[in-house]
Amino acid sequence: MIDTTKWERKEYELTCISPIHIGNGELYKSYEYYYDRYNHMVYFLDPVKWADFLAAKGLMDAYAQDVEQEKGRLYLKRWLDAKVGRGQALQAVKKMTLSSSSVCLSSEKRESVNDIARQQRDVYGYPIIPGSSLKGVIHSAIRWHLICRNPEKYRDLWPEINIAVEQRNRKDVRNLTAQLEKRTVNVLHLTDQSGKDALNSVMRGIRISDAHLTVKKRDTVLIQKLDASFKKKKGYGRAAVEPEGHTLSVFRECIPSRSKYRFTITLEREIVQKIGLSSLKELWQWVREYTQAGIHMQEKVFGQDFNAEFQEAETADLLLGGGTGFLSKTVLYALAPSQEEGQQTLAKYLDKAFHKGWRPAHYHQRDDQGLTPRTVKLARFGHERWMMGLASVEEVK
C-alpha cells in the first residue's frame, strides 16, 4: 500500500474534446496505404500479409519496380485496382488491414492524401497517449506558472534573449532557455555534472503512466491541416481573419473526438514541494490555467470569427499533441514585460529563424497583429470543427 505521507497517486480519465495526434515519427507515402475515396477510408496494411499477397499473386517484382519508376509517387489504389480489379482489390485490402482511418477532405477529387503522419500505438495496435506527452504539457505548465508567480525572479533573462534574437544567435537562445529551465524546475541541486540536469529536475517527482483507451478501437480519423490566420490579405480589407481557414496538404492520423483514456499520476511530495506544489489537485489547476491562458490570448484575435470553437475550448484542461501550434510560445510571453513586447520579440525571432533567401518566410513583424504566430490551428471533420488537440481530465473516483 502506498505511503500517502510521501506519495500521492490518482487515476484520471482523459476525454478527447477534439481530434488529437501523437505522432510516432512515421510518414506513410501513397504507395503504402490504400485510399478509397468513394467510401472516404484509408486502409493501413499488415506488412506481412501484404508481402504474402504480392508473392501469391506474383506481383512482388512489379510492385517494387513500379514504386521505383514512379519515384515514390505511385498510388496504391490505382495500381492494385489495375492489377486485380477494383472489387477484388478492396476485398483483399480489407483482409490485410491492420487499422483504418475515416477521411474528410476539402476536395473529394484527390487520388491520395499525400504523406500521412501516423499516430502512436501500443504493442497491440491501439492508439495511445504516451505518458511522456502528458508530462511534456505538465512540464511547460509548471514553468509558466512559476514565471507568472514571480516574474521579476526571471526577468533579467529578457534583455539577453532580445540581444540573442537581434543577432540571430540560436545557440545563445538555446543556452538562455536552458538557464530558464535550470532556474524554474532544475532546483534539486543533486549534481553539478554537465549533461546531468535531469537529475536536478523536480519532474523526477511526477510519474505518469501511458494513457490507454477505455474502449478498445484501432480505427482513427485522418485530419487535413487547417489553419486560420489574421493578417493583411487581398480581398479581406485592411486586416482580417480568413473566415473558413485554409487547408494545407498535411495529413495527420488522429485519435477521434470523444475518445476516452485512463492513466495514473504519482507525486513524490518531498520533491515537488521544492517548487511549492502540494497536491495533484493543485497541479491540474496549474495545467488548466496555463492551457486557458494560451487559448484566451488566441481568442482575443480569433474569437469573433470562431466563437463556437472557443466556447468549446473553455472546457479544456490541456492542449495535447501535434498541430496545436501556439501554446508552447506562452512561456516566452510569460517572461516578457508585456504581451506587446513578447509579441514583437517572438515575431523578430521567427522572421530571423525562418526565411527564404534574404526574405522572411512569413513576415511576422510586418503582418502579425495582436498575436505571434498569427495562426490558430483547427481540425475539421464533416460538419464539426474544433481547435486541434483539446482534452479534458477528470479524476476517477
Side-chain angles (χ1 to χ4, degrees), residues 69-303:
Q69 185 176 335
E70 293 288 332
K71 302 186 185 303
R73 293 191 293 271
L74 180 143
Y75 298 137
L76 183 58
K77 181 184 184 303
R78 184 201 297 171
W79 183 87
L80 195 57
D81 287 358
K83 295 296 184 184
V84 302
R86 181 176 181 271
Q88 279 189 290
L90 186 56
Q91 276 187 336
V93 162
K94 288 182 177 180
K95 291 177 182 178
M96 295 183 283
T97 295
L98 270 178
S99 63
S100 59
S101 283
S102 303
V103 186
C104 181
L105 301 179
S106 56
S107 170
E108 300 300 327
K109 297 179 181 179
R110 301 182 65 104
E111 278 198 275
S112 83
V113 286
N114 294 7
D115 294 354
I116 298 174
R118 295 299 309 276
Q119 165 66 34
Q120 183 91 286
R121 294 173 182 268
D122 63 19
V123 294
Y124 304 105
Y126 297 111
I128 191 175
I129 299 175
S132 57
S133 296
L134 293 164
K135 196 167 185 175
V137 176
I138 289 171
H139 180 198
S140 295
I142 288 173
R143 290 199 304 165
W144 178 86
H145 175 84
L146 294 174
I147 294 168
C148 290
R149 188 173 68 186
N150 191 359
E152 295 306 318
K153 182 177 178 180
Y154 311 100
R155 193 60 52 76
D156 60 293
L157 292 175
W158 186 251
E160 296 183 58
I161 289 174
N162 274 291
I163 292 170
V165 167
E166 190 65 45
Q167 295 176 348
R168 199 186 293 178
N169 192 327
R170 291 193 184 187
K171 183 178 179 181
D172 279 358
V173 171
R174 286 195 298 270
N175 288 338
L176 290 163
T177 301
Q179 283 188 48
L180 185 62
E181 181 80 0
K182 189 173 183 178
R183 289 165 62 173
T184 50
V185 297
N186 293 354
V187 295
L188 299 184
H189 308 299
L190 297 177
T191 179
D192 294 327
Q193 282 184 266
S194 177
K196 300 287 186 178
D197 287 341
L199 293 174
N200 293 321
S201 176
V202 294
M203 297 306 295
R204 294 178 59 195
I206 304 173
R207 301 172 191 181
I208 307 176
S209 72
D210 293 338
H212 295 276
L213 281 162
T214 57
V215 178
K216 302 298 185 184
K217 293 182 180 179
R218 287 189 173 87
D219 294 341
T220 50
V221 293
L222 204 63
I223 300 294
Q224 186 172 7
K225 187 176 182 182
L226 177 64
D227 291 352
S229 298
F230 183 87
K231 60 181 180 180
K232 300 170 185 175
K233 188 170 183 180
K234 186 176 179 181
Y236 290 100
R238 181 182 60 82
V241 174
E242 300 162 302
E244 295 298 324
H246 60 276
T247 55
L248 292 87
S249 294
V250 176
F251 298 85
R252 297 183 176 98
E253 184 190 11
C254 296
I255 300 165
S257 64
R258 293 179 283 279
S259 299
K260 293 184 180 294
Y261 283 77
R262 292 279 179 96
F263 65 98
T264 60
I265 302 186
T266 304
L267 282 190
E268 189 171 350
R269 296 184 189 276
E270 185 179 0
I271 291 179
V272 300
Q273 283 170 359
K274 301 286 186 182
I275 55 170
L277 180 61
S278 61
S279 66
L280 283 168
K281 181 179 180 181
E282 186 176 28
L283 175 64
W284 282 113
Q285 182 181 335
W286 290 10
V287 174
R288 178 173 173 78
E289 287 172 356
Y290 164 68
T291 301
Q292 289 298 322
I295 289 171
H296 290 156
M297 288 179 74
Q298 294 176 89
E299 187 175 13
K300 289 176 183 177
V301 176
F302 298 101

